[in-house]
Structure formats: C-alpha cells, structure tokens
Amino acid sequence: MAVAAEPKPDFSIKTKWVEASVFLDAKIKADPALAANCLAEGKAWATKNRADADKERKQDPDLFRNAWSYERKYDTRSVVDGRYVSIVRADYEYTGGAHPNGASDTILWDKSAGKRISIRPFFTETADNGPTLKAMRQGVIASLTAEKKKRGAEGTDVSAIESIEPKLLKIGPIALAPSTEEGKSSGLNFYYAPYAVGSYAEGEYVAFVPWETLKPYLTPEGARIFGGARPKKDEDRPQ
C-alpha cells in the first residue's frame, strides 16, 4: 500500500543543531496575499528561533546532544461568507526537555481588505470586562467544564479555567467556527494549548461558544455572518 508522502515545508532551516519548518495548507497557498503574509511571519519566527538556538549553543553545547526542532503549521478552520478566513497557527518545539511543547494561536484574515483583522467588527462593544466579553468568558468556561467531564478530567486545574479573563487579548486565541449553514459561522472556537487549562497529558482544548449566546451583542455584520449549528466533524476534530 502506498504511503502518502510527508508534505514538504514551505520554508525550512536546517543546520547540525537546529531544524525549523513552516507549513501552509492548500487553501492558504491558493490565496497569494494570505500565503505571503503567513510565510513572511513564519520565516521571521524560524529565523529568530535559529538565532536563539545558536546563542544557547555557544553558552551551553551540552543542551544540544539532540538537535532542537521547531515546526509551525498554518491550517484553515473556516471560510465565512467567502471573505473571512480563520486560521489556526500551531507551533511545536523540542528543545531537549522531557517532551515537545506546543502552542496555538489564531489569525482572522479579511480577503476583501487583504489584511488581518480582529473579531471586533462583529460585536457592538468588546471592552475589557464588558458585557460581550463576560458572556464569551461564561460560554468558554461552560464549554471547557463539559469537555473536561468528557475526558474524565473534571475538577483539574479549576483555577486556570477561572483565571481566563474577559478581555479580548487575554481570553484565548479565537476563530470563527464552521457551520452547517453554507457561508456562515456557528459561533466562536477558543484554542488552549497543553498546560493552558490542564495538564500536558490532557492535550489541547477547544472551547466552543455558539453564536446564539452572543446574539444580543452582534453588529449588523455579525448578525449577517453568524448562523446554523456547529458541524459534527468540527466537534470530533482531534484535540
């Protein structure tokens, strides 16, 4: 049986001591402006990690018995209204510890404007500790609590969950969730890397807040792009 070849990185650095790779998915590569934006960021990230590793090696060569490795993947999660592209940016790094570490962030790309934006245009207000963010935080905590129960990890790291702040820049990386309704978003997904709200063994958590929860706070543009329900395949996505 033929085994699918490993995808080739879109950018990579390889030395005796460090490897860094950046991968863009096919949907991103099909949009030249978006691809260029992600690749420029990925290259800068890989180059900085190489420079940091070189500096570390000069100070302590023993840390490099095994080469350090870094990987960044850009994956499309949803395209809403043919315009708003949500991307999850997943980072993995191994720098000689007991296990690799991971981190997630998100990018919201507006194809019409050809630039990154935030979710602010979809909500009437997004003030720190304001009604919108408080409702989002409540939804996130409810979702994480339910997911912890499903994984048999309820009650663990309660303080980490409680310390999630109702602030747009502190609540966690946000993406527009896909929907059963074509061209719409079913709500917001929030991405928490291992260690953020649980032990490393628990892995990544994705909290989902349905759009109906946030309906009172939507702008006309928000009301236009949200609708439908979260597809089963989005729920079953390995986390």
Side-chain angles (χ1 to χ4, degrees), residues 118-172:
S118 79
I119 59 164
R120 290 183 199 278
F122 310 134
F123 297 95
T124 49
E125 66 81 43
T126 50
D128 289 355
N129 300 300
T132 307
L133 266 299
K134 278 184 173 168
M136 267 183 216
R137 179 183 178 272
Q138 249 180 327
V140 164
I141 289 172
S143 177
L144 288 174
T145 305
E147 184 58 33
K148 286 244 178 197
K149 199 170 180 185
K150 233 159 79 179
R151 296 188 196 184
E154 64 263 52
T156 64
D157 295 281
V158 173
S159 61
I161 293 177
E162 284 298 327
S163 66
I164 290 169
E165 296 182 60
K167 297 175 180 177
L168 201 54
L169 299 179
K170 298 275 188 182
I171 199 166

Side-chain angles (χ1 to χ4, degrees), residues 90-101:
D91 291 352
Y92 301 91
E93 60 174 59
Y94 177 73
T95 55
H99 49 67
N101 281 321

Side-chain angles (χ1 to χ4, degrees), residues 199-233:
S199 67
Y200 182 81
E202 286 172 56
E204 181 193 39
Y205 278 94
V206 180
F208 170 69
V209 179
W211 71 273
E212 292 92 340
T213 301
L214 305 169
K215 199 174 177 181
Y217 316 105
L218 295 176
T219 57
E221 181 66 355
R224 194 178 71 77
I225 66 154
F226 285 108
R230 189 187 192 192
K232 189 82 183 90
K233 68 173 191 274

Side-chain angles (χ1 to χ4, degrees), residues 26-90:
K27 279 186 181 171
I28 294 168
K29 284 195 266 201
D31 180 332
L34 176 55
N37 182 280
C38 292
L39 202 53
E41 178 188 67
K43 281 180 180 177
W45 172 85
T47 306
K48 183 186 183 302
N49 280 326
R50 180 200 172 163
D52 289 348
D54 285 347
K55 200 169 152 190
E56 286 282 343
R57 196 180 68 79
K58 281 185 185 131
Q59 288 169 357
D60 193 349
D62 283 353
L63 292 173
F64 290 80
R65 289 199 181 108
N66 295 312
W68 286 13
S69 59
Y70 301 88
E71 187 179 281
R72 173 169 279 191
K73 287 184 172 172
Y74 292 84
D75 283 311
T76 306
R77 292 302 301 122
S78 68
V79 181
V80 175
D81 192 36
R83 173 177 178 178
Y84 301 114
V85 186
S86 279
I87 293 159
V88 174
R89 192 187 75 195

